[in-house]
């Protein structure tokens, strides 16, 4: 996961072109320069120098995404100078007595989790993986699962951000709480965040239970049973159903079983064993019943050594009001099955559905924002992820599968008030964005104040959010 950063550093050392790629190398860009300032003062100095030039600036983390959200504008596509910026050197860490921490933007989630363990602390909420940069994870809406658990960004109580002029702005829940709702999930459009203050909690154990479930092609029945299971378990992920590609028949075959995992508090304090069992992290022969216990972070989040697959795959992830769970799951599955003829002749292997639940929040650009929900909605969102895995790393298969991922949005977004994860094949649809994110106009006002020359935007952000002033400025 760190290879793209290494490549950039090597390019910088030898003076060649400066390329950036995401983790599976199908998304990338080329800038004029790559810089990694030593501290916040260096970041501010750089921005002040580049503001009169209207240079284009994109901060990159670890590239753990599927879309163009963090892509720079390639130097051949603009007459402006294009910079890639890494904040990897900003490694401040302060632990406060009120169970909050202040961290620099250079921390990766994995390293920060291990540092917190030394102080008997852990995050309240985490995503399923921990390979991301901490600010990148927060800024894009990374989340775990739980009907009483919100996304990682809701843990942010304050942050420091530099605007395009290099001026520092402190945003916190006491002095400017409303603005904090915009900056928590900022999509990289509001400036360079140099540090964040987050809520944490004393470390405790969780019990993780995994149960085998039976599959059926009666999808209405299947998903009704899963909806009932979510009524029993607050913090649950369903790993399935699973489909295998039949190369001879050129068709998908449903596997007879799949599994669900749920987490709950426990008084257990003995041997930690979730991370010792790689099946607990989705690796190996996982379709079996088991129970494990571990410290919170290791019980719910997969460390890098527990990631068993790094092949190319396409992925969508949509958020929708939980009340639509059965209809969404059924109709998305039927729609996917209807795409099968378009997948013939490619290097398909598996297709995996994954379901989670998430408490809604008030961050302006959160895919789980509650601003347009009605009185009939609970404020809890279902989350549906579909992964198309490949037998080998084959570019044609990857691009073919990615091509029709956007069609799920076209088919269902308006019907179910569904929202795409910002960093997982989110299609351009500014009209729907305005409907799904009612606070978008307020967000764009802050964006214009923070970035008057459109230096932090790119084509994805302009098209997604409908930032028309930047379309002409960037000549898109």
């Amino acid at each position: 996961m760190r290879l793209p950063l290494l490549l950039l550093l090597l390019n910088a050392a030898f003076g060649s072109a400066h390329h950036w790629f995401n983790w599976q190398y199908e998304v990338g860009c080329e800038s004029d320069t790559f810089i990694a300032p030593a501290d916040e003062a260096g970041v501010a100095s750089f921005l002040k120098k580049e503001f009169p030039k209207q240079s284009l600036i994109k901060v990159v983390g670890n590239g753990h995404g599927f879309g163009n959200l963090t892509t720079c504008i390639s130097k051949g596509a603009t007459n402006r100078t294009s910079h890639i910026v890494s904040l990897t050197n900003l490694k401040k860490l302060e632990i406060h007595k009120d169970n909050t921490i202040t961290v620099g933007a250079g921390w990766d989630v994995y390293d920060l989790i291990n540092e917190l363990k030394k102080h008997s602390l852990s995050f309240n909420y985490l995503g399923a993986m921990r390979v991301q940069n901490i600010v990148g994870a927060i800024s894009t809406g990374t989340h775990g699962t739980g009907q009483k658990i919100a996304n990682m960004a809701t843990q942010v109580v304050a942050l420091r951000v530099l605007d395009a002029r290099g001026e520092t702005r402190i945003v916190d829940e006491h002095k400017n709480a409303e603005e904090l709702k915009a900056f928590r999930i900022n999509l990289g459009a509001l400036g360079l965040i140099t540090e964040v203050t987050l809520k944490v909690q004393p470390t405790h154990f969780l019990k993780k239970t995994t149960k085998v479930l039976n599959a059926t092609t009666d999808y209405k029945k299947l998903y009704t049973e899963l909806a009932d299971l979510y009524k029993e378990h607050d913090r649950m992920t369903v790993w399935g159903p699973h489909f295998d590609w039949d190369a001879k028949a050129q068709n998908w075959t449903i596997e007879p079983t799949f599994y669900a995992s749920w987490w709950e508090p426990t008084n257990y304090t003995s041997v930690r064993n979730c991370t010792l069992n790689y099946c607990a992290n989705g690796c190996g022969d996982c379709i079996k019943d088991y129970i494990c216990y571990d410290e919170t972070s290791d019980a719910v989040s997969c460390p890098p050594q527990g990631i068993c697959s790094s092949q190319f795959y396409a992925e969508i992830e949509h958020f929708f009001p939980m009340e639509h769970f059965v209809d969404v799951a059924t109709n998305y599955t039927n729609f996917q099955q209807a795409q099968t003829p378009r997948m013939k002749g490619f290097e398909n292997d598996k297709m995996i559905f994954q379901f989670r639940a998430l408490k809604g929040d008030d961050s302006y650009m959160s895919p789980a924002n509650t601003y347009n929900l009605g009185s009939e909605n609970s404020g809890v969102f279902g989350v549906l992820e579909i992964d198309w895995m490949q037998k080998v790393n084959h570019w044609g298969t990857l691009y073919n599968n990615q091509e029709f991922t956007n069609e799920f949005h076209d088919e269902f977004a308006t019907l179910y008030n569904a929202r795409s994860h910002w960093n997982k094949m989110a299609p351009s649809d500014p009209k729907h964005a305005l409907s799904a994110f009612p606070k978008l106009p307020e967000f764009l006002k802050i964006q214009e104040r923070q970035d008057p020359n459109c230096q932090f935007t790119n084509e994805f952000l302009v098209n997604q959010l409908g930032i028309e002033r930047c379309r002409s400025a960037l000549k898109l």
Side-chain angles (χ1 to χ4, degrees):
M1 293 296 180
R2 297 172 190 259
L3 183 58
L5 180 57
L6 176 60
L7 290 173
L8 289 174
L9 292 171
L10 289 174
N11 285 331
F14 292 99
S16 57
H18 300 271
H19 299 277
W20 177 87
F21 299 97
N22 72 335
W23 68 279
Q24 61 179 8
Y25 303 105
E26 98 283 12
V27 173
C29 62
E30 179 178 295
S31 70
D32 292 287
T33 69
F34 166 80
I35 70 162
D39 50 30
E40 185 183 277
V43 180
S45 176
F46 166 74
L47 291 173
K48 289 175 180 178
K49 182 181 70 174
E50 298 302 321
F51 181 70
K53 305 175 187 177
Q54 299 189 18
S55 302
L56 299 172
I57 297 162
K58 236 1 168 169
V59 176
V60 296
N62 292 339
H64 187 71
F66 294 81
N68 291 298
L69 175 61
T70 56
T71 308
C72 64
I73 298 177
S74 292
K75 63 180 184 178
T78 176
N79 57 4
R80 299 192 192 186
T81 302
S82 181
H83 299 285
I84 293 173
V85 179
S86 170
L87 300 180
T88 188
N89 292 322
L90 278 62
K91 289 291 181 65
K92 175 180 179 178
L93 174 60
E94 292 181 357
I95 297 176
H96 311 296
K97 293 181 179 179
D98 62 349
N99 281 341
T100 62
I101 59 171
T102 298
V103 300
W107 282 95
D108 290 343
V109 176
Y110 173 74
D111 295 329
L112 192 51
I113 285 173
N114 288 334
E115 190 65 29
L116 289 178
K117 285 179 182 178
K118 298 176 184 178
H119 301 275
S120 299
L121 294 171
S122 62
F123 288 106
N124 297 327
Y125 317 134
L126 279 171
M129 294 184 182
R130 56 180 80 171
V131 299
Q132 309 98 323
N133 167 271
I134 182 64
V135 173
I138 290 166
S139 298
T140 56
T142 297
H143 64 94
T145 186
Q147 297 174 66
K148 298 177 182 177
I149 294 174
N151 62 51
M152 287 182 66
T154 60
Q155 298 168 111
V156 175
V157 297
L159 54 84
R160 289 172 65 89
V161 60
L162 297 176
D163 65 15
R165 300 174 180 83
E167 299 297 328
T168 303
R169 188 176 189 85
I170 299 174
V171 185
D172 69 41
E173 63 180 358
H174 301 296
K175 296 179 180 178
N176 35 22
E178 192 64 29
E179 274 205 11
L180 186 61
K181 297 175 185 178
F183 278 91
R184 279 176 170 149
I185 298 179
N186 58 82
L187 311 178
L190 303 185
L192 277 65
I193 294 176
T194 57
E195 64 181 47
V196 293
T197 299
L198 303 134
K199 297 176 185 176
V200 291
Q201 63 183 357
T203 294
H204 61 276
F205 275 67
L206 289 176
K207 175 185 178 182
K208 178 180 180 180
T209 303
T210 295
K211 289 288 185 181
V212 175
L213 305 175
N214 295 318
T216 173
T217 53
D218 183 345
Y219 299 128
K220 192 82 170 181
K221 177 177 181 294
L222 172 66
Y223 294 127
T224 298
E225 291 175 354
L226 292 187
D228 290 339
L229 202 56
Y230 270 106
K231 293 175 183 177
E232 298 178 29
H233 303 289
D234 168 68
R235 195 169 186 173
M236 184 174 77
T237 294
V238 178
W239 306 91
H242 297 176
F243 294 81
D244 296 316
W245 183 252
D246 186 329
K248 184 177 181 179
Q250 293 287 289
N251 205 347
W252 292 107
T253 302
I254 193 169
E255 293 184 6
T257 56
F258 59 106
Y259 63 104
S261 298
W262 55 85
W263 295 261
E264 53 195 338
T266 178
N267 293 325
Y268 179 94
T269 58
S270 187
V271 178
R272 296 168 45 186
N273 58 3
C274 284
T275 51
L276 298 179
N277 178 354
Y278 267 32
C279 189
N281 295 324
C283 302
D285 180 18
C286 297
I287 304 181
K288 58 186 177 184
D289 294 350
Y290 67 90
I291 293 174
C292 64
Y293 300 84
D294 220 316
E295 174 271 332
T296 309
S297 300
D298 290 334
V300 304
S301 179
C302 177
Q305 64 267 30
I307 298 174
C308 53
S309 175
S310 60
Q311 77 259 36
F312 288 175
Y313 65 97
E315 177 178 297
I316 63 169
E317 184 174 340
H318 288 187
F319 301 70
F320 53 89
M322 194 67 173
E323 290 75 16
H324 297 316
F325 183 91
V326 175
D327 286 343
V328 167
T330 301
N331 289 329
Y332 272 63
T333 306
N334 286 329
F335 186 74
Q336 157 56 37
Q337 295 302 299
Q339 312 306 314
T340 301
R342 299 166 61 183
M343 307 185 78
K344 294 181 177 181
F346 291 95
E347 297 290 339
N348 298 301
D349 185 22
K350 291 182 179 294
M351 177 175 61
I352 300 174
F353 284 67
Q354 180 185 158
F355 295 92
R356 286 175 279 184
L358 193 68
K359 179 182 177 181
D361 65 88
D362 60 2
S363 297
Y364 285 3
M365 303 309 295
S366 170
N369 82 80
T370 58
Y371 289 110
N372 72 348
L373 297 186
S375 58
E376 72 280 7
N377 296 123
S378 64
V380 175
F381 285 79
V383 186
L384 167 58
E385 177 182 310
I386 308 177
D387 301 315
W388 292 268
M389 319 297 290
Q390 304 177 199
K391 286 186 177 180
V392 296
N393 285 349
H394 183 261
W395 292 106
T397 302
L398 178 66
Y399 292 141
N400 179 70
N401 293 348
Q402 286 183 344
E403 184 176 345
F404 64 77
T405 57
N406 289 346
E407 296 176 17
F408 286 83
H409 176 92
D410 298 338
E411 187 79 10
F412 299 118
T414 300
L415 179 62
Y416 294 121
N417 191 11
R419 306 90 180 268
S420 299
H421 190 295
W422 288 111
N423 218 10
K424 295 183 179 179
M425 306 308 298
S428 298
D429 189 350
K431 182 178 179 181
H432 179 68
L434 187 58
S435 171
F437 303 93
K439 292 292 186 177
L440 177 58
E442 287 90 335
F443 181 86
L444 293 183
K445 287 179 182 177
I446 296 172
Q447 200 280 326
E448 184 171 8
R449 182 197 73 201
Q450 294 288 110
D451 184 22
N453 297 328
C454 301
Q455 294 171 259
F456 302 142
T457 58
N458 60 9
E459 186 172 2
F460 175 89
L461 287 168
V462 170
N463 290 336
Q464 272 280 353
L465 306 181
I467 314 177
E468 294 305 317
R469 67 183 186 86
C470 292
R471 187 180 304 281
S472 57
L474 299 177
K475 296 181 169 57
L476 298 176

